[in-house]
């Protein structure tokens, strides 16, 4: 790999005012540290000195290319200015870590510049190691010494304000530009930003359907690109579509030898994700064989395409998602225990929309904006219409079973139907009625499936009992114990009783249908 060094011109030292030692020149005279290119940063006032230094380097080390980089600074001791200029330099520099190895020369430049270099390398805005050179000691080599160093700059915490601003930008990116007022969501995003930019380990996203797992995976990939954790693309795989004998070839690729038929070769999703991010959406939908093969790739970075005995390497960051509790998926046999253990290092639960109702207004307006761009026209709410919609959306009785997917569909319908660009109160009332009818029909289907999982198929129930029992079973499955479920279900009536034995009341209710806590809380 080519060795590239980035450093400031030493406006005093490179004149040779310290016993004739000129650090930018002597830097290129170390046989054990050959430099292919030196990016020499200077300002306009010292352009002629920079040219003289470049000429002396050419004479001393003809194989070293010197590029003069002009960065003018009003005050080289001003933290904000120096950091801002170097931040912009790093953002616009085309780092190529596959072909070049980068170092930053700390000896030249002000102490402020040294601090800024450290912060930029530590955050990988500049993907480089730090080097420091020093003048020769008596009896030592004429070019002096060169060390790879580390600095303790914790005392310069004021500069962290720039990083805090960058962190806010990253959080906004992960949130899709929609500000959150939900403390749980904000904490999740802040932690996820640290993990995504500081670790290459697999990330498991959990949440109900429509909670935003796929969109968050795409934003994680974008953040990893910004922070130079990956270079490749995002490969999004809906695992529910990988069935039977086509699953392994789709994931791992296939050689012609597998079928003996020309034109059946395929690279596989893992090859496409090399250098980027592989998103396995609904990983529990994969068969056990595919899960075992994925686990091997995670742990070894190697696999054999179908029809080949030669291993190939795969270097990607893995993001997986599931809509149910992974422990329950393991107990049900849908997720391998060893794969679950490997994915459990970083697990993030996306709260459903009903648990962050304070964000619905911001999401609604953002979705309307998206529909405006798609439709090519402006759309706005009348004040009474927006107030009515938000009252409905924020009502604890509004379930939002499809989460953001339901909200997105609703917002798009309103935008399409707003022919004159205004959403009116009658339109909102019609939309609310449509959502309620949609959810009621879906709930009836869900109730049937839920009751069928715990009751004999021949058990006849009145409609009233079906609705009530389904609600009780859901509460049991969402609570950690029989007592907790009883307190939730009898929260009002328990206050009127002298003996508040909620567990016994719930146990007797379930017994009416031949059920017990163990059978319904699984």
């Amino acid at each position: 790999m080519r060795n590239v060094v980035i450093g400031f011109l030493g406006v005093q030292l490179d004149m040779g005012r310290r016993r004739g030692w000129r650090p930018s020149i002597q830097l290129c005279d170390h046989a054990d540290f050959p430099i292919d290119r030196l990016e020499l940063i200077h300002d306009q006032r010292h352009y002629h000195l920079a040219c003289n230094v470049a000429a002396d380097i050419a004479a001393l080390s003809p194989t070293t290319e010197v590029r003069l980089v002009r960065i003018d600074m009003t005050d080289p001791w001003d933290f904000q200015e120096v950091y801002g200029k170097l931040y912009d330099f790093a953002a616009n520099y085309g780092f190529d870590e596959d072909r070049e190895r980068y170092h930053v020369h700390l000896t030249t430049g002000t102490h402020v510049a040294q601090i800024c270099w450290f912060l930029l390398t530590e955050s990988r805005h500049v993907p480089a190691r730090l080097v420091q050179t020093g003048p020769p000691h008596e009896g030592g080599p004429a070019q002096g010494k060169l060390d790879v160093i580390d600095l303790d700059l914790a005392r310069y915490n004021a500069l962290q304000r720039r990083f805090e601003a960058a962190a806010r930008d990253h959080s906004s990116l992960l949130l899709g530009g929609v500000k959150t007022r939900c403390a749980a969501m904000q904490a999740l995003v802040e932690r996820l930003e640290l993990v995504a930019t500081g670790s290459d380990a697999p990330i498991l996203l959990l949440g109900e359907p429509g909670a935003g797992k796929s969109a968050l995976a795409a934003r994680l990939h974008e953040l990893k690109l910004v922070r130079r954790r990956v270079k490749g693309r995002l490969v999004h795989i809906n695992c529910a579509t990988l069935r039977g004998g086509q699953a392994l070839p789709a994931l791992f690729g296939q050689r012609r030898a597998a079928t003996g038929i020309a034109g059946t070769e395929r690279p596989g999703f893992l090859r496409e994700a090399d250098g980027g991010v592989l998103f396995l959406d609904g990983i529990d939908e994969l068969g056990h064989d595919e899960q075992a093969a994925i686990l091997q790739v995670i742990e070894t970075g190697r696999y054999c395409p179908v029809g080949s005995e030669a291993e190939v390497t795969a270097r990607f960051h893995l993001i997986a998602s599931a809509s149910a509790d992974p422990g329950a998926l393991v107990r049900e046999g849908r997720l391998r225990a060893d794969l679950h253990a490997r994915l459990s290092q970083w697990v993030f639960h996306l709260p459903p929309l009903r648990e962050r109702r304070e964000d619905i207004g911001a999401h609604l307006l953002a979705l309307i904006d998206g529909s405006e761009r798609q439709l090519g026209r402006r759309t706005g709410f009348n004040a009474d219409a927006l107030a009515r919609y938000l009252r409905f959306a924020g009502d604890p009785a509004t379930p939002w079973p499809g989460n953001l997917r339901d909200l997105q569909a609703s917002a798009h319908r309103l935008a399409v139907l707003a022919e004159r660009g205004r959403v009116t109160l009658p339109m909102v009332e019609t939309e609310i009625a449509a959502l309620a009818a949609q959810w009621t029909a879906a709930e009836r289907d869900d109730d049937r499936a839920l009751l069928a999982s715990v009751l004999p198929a021949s058990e006849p129930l009145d409609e009233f009992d079906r609705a009530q029992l389904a609600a009780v079973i859901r509460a049991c499955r969402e609570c950690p114990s029989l007592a907790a479920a009883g307190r939730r279900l009898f929260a009002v009536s328990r206050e009127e009783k002298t003996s508040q034995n909620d567990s016994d009341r719930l146990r007797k209710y379930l017994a009416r249908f031949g059920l017990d806590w163990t059978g319904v809380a699984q």
Side-chain angles (χ1 to χ4, degrees):
M1 295 179 68
R2 289 167 56 83
N3 189 21
V4 179
V5 177
I6 304 169
F8 279 96
L9 173 72
V11 298
Q12 299 294 328
L13 292 175
D14 282 336
M15 288 184 180
R17 292 186 177 180
R18 186 171 182 179
R19 295 180 292 174
W21 179 70
R22 303 168 71 189
S24 295
I25 298 172
Q26 265 68 54
L27 172 68
C28 302
D29 193 28
H30 290 266
D32 58 345
F33 192 76
I35 299 174
D36 296 289
R37 186 170 76 249
L38 173 64
E39 305 277 3
L40 192 60
I41 299 174
H42 66 93
D43 62 10
Q44 182 58 31
R45 293 175 298 171
H46 300 95
Y47 173 72
H48 293 295
L49 174 60
C51 291
N52 292 336
V53 169
D56 291 341
I57 292 174
L60 178 68
S61 177
T63 59
T64 300
E65 174 190 5
V66 179
R67 289 185 181 176
L68 300 183
V69 180
R70 177 180 168 181
I71 299 180
D72 292 321
M73 296 187 188
T74 304
D75 182 0
W77 292 93
D78 181 86
F79 282 88
Q80 181 175 352
E81 181 183 13
V82 175
Y83 185 86
K85 293 292 180 65
L86 293 181
Y87 185 97
D88 293 339
F89 165 79
N92 295 317
Y93 192 94
F95 293 104
D96 185 357
E97 295 177 81
D98 291 335
R99 296 180 176 85
E100 297 181 336
R101 180 175 58 249
Y102 299 96
H103 292 83
V104 168
H105 187 205
L106 283 178
T107 304
T108 52
T110 64
H111 294 317
V112 172
Q114 293 173 349
I115 295 168
C116 294
W117 278 134
F118 174 82
L119 294 175
L120 288 166
T121 54
E122 187 73 8
S123 65
R124 286 190 58 81
H125 286 89
V126 177
R129 302 178 70 188
L130 304 177
V131 295
Q132 187 171 32
T133 55
H137 298 292
E138 184 175 349
Q143 69 269 30
K145 64 176 183 177
L146 182 150
D147 297 307
V148 177
I149 66 166
D150 195 0
L151 295 176
D152 179 13
L153 299 179
R155 62 186 182 274
Y156 296 104
N157 289 331
L159 286 180
Q160 292 302 322
R161 286 177 297 181
R162 184 70 179 259
F163 283 105
E164 290 169 2
R168 286 193 296 271
D169 291 341
H170 296 154
S171 295
S172 177
L173 188 156
L174 291 179
L175 289 167
V178 180
K179 290 184 178 181
T180 180
R181 294 189 295 162
C182 174
M185 193 65 187
Q186 185 62 46
L188 180 147
V189 166
E190 290 174 358
R191 181 176 172 85
L192 188 54
E193 189 266 332
L194 293 174
V195 172
T197 58
S199 172
D200 298 341
I203 293 173
L204 178 60
L205 303 179
L206 301 177
E208 297 178 2
K213 300 184 293 294
S214 296
L216 183 56
R219 294 170 194 148
L220 281 169
H221 170 251
E222 187 176 349
L223 177 59
K224 285 175 175 286
L225 284 175
V226 170
R227 296 301 300 273
R228 300 189 178 92
R229 301 298 301 188
V230 300
K231 293 183 177 180
R233 55 178 289 216
L234 169 70
V235 177
H236 179 173
I237 303 172
N238 181 355
C239 296
T241 65
L242 300 180
R243 300 290 185 184
Q246 292 303 310
L248 284 173
L251 285 168
F252 299 95
Q254 179 172 275
R255 300 292 185 260
R256 178 176 177 177
T259 62
I261 303 173
T264 58
E265 302 89 348
R266 57 192 306 180
F269 291 129
L270 269 64
R271 172 58 59 191
E272 294 179 18
D274 193 32
V277 172
L278 178 69
F279 176 40
L280 295 177
D281 191 3
I283 192 169
D284 54 294
E285 298 287 348
L286 289 177
H288 274 220
D289 290 344
E290 290 76 24
Q291 291 184 25
I294 287 290
L295 177 62
Q296 179 183 359
V297 179
I298 296 173
E299 294 183 336
T300 68
R302 298 186 299 275
Y303 66 94
C304 291
V306 176
S308 172
E309 297 181 355
E311 285 189 331
V312 297
T313 59
R315 300 169 60 186
F316 54 80
H317 292 194
L318 177 66
I319 302 174
S321 76
S323 296
D325 174 65
L329 293 174
V330 172
R331 291 192 295 272
E332 294 169 8
R334 296 169 56 191
L335 182 66
R336 291 177 60 103
D338 48 5
L339 180 57
H340 173 222
R342 191 66 180 83
L343 295 175
S344 62
Q345 181 174 0
W346 298 114
V347 180
F348 295 88
H349 297 258
L350 275 68
L353 191 59
R354 63 182 175 276
E355 294 181 8
R356 46 188 176 117
R357 297 179 188 273
E358 59 268 55
D359 290 344
I360 289 179
H363 278 291
L364 174 65
L365 298 180
L367 292 169
I368 289 289
D369 286 343
S371 293
E372 286 178 350
R373 291 190 292 273
Q374 181 178 349
L375 299 172
R377 67 167 187 258
R378 298 284 298 172
T379 304
F381 276 86
N382 288 347
D384 56 350
L386 180 59
R388 174 69 178 103
Y389 192 97
L390 294 181
R391 282 198 307 274
F392 163 77
D395 188 333
T398 303
W400 293 111
N403 293 291
L404 289 171
R405 197 170 289 148
D406 280 350
L407 183 62
Q408 182 178 21
S410 177
H412 188 67
R413 283 194 295 267
L414 290 171
V416 170
L417 296 173
E419 293 185 83
R420 296 180 176 84
R422 302 302 298 174
V423 177
T424 65
L425 182 58
M427 291 173 58
V428 167
E429 295 291 0
T430 301
E431 176 62 22
I432 290 174
L435 285 171
Q438 170 190 326
W439 294 338
T440 299
E443 187 176 1
R444 289 197 193 100
D445 292 339
D446 290 344
D447 287 352
R448 292 190 186 96
L450 180 62
L451 296 176
S453 69
V454 296
L455 292 174
S458 59
E459 184 74 20
L461 287 178
D462 291 332
E463 183 177 354
F464 174 84
D465 287 331
R466 287 200 303 270
Q468 187 179 62
L469 180 58
V472 169
I473 293 173
R474 287 193 181 91
C476 290
R477 292 185 173 181
E478 293 171 3
C479 293
S481 66
L482 179 67
R487 286 193 298 272
R488 169 177 162 178
L489 289 165
F490 305 118
V492 176
S493 61
R494 71 192 304 266
E495 300 299 329
E496 302 173 357
K497 293 183 175 293
T498 56
S499 176
Q500 299 175 342
N501 193 341
D502 304 315
S503 298
D504 186 58
R505 293 177 67 188
L506 178 55
R507 190 181 295 109
K508 290 178 178 177
Y509 175 83
L510 293 174
R512 287 173 48 198
F513 303 95
L515 302 174
D516 58 23
W517 168 258
T518 303
V520 301
Q522 59 184 349

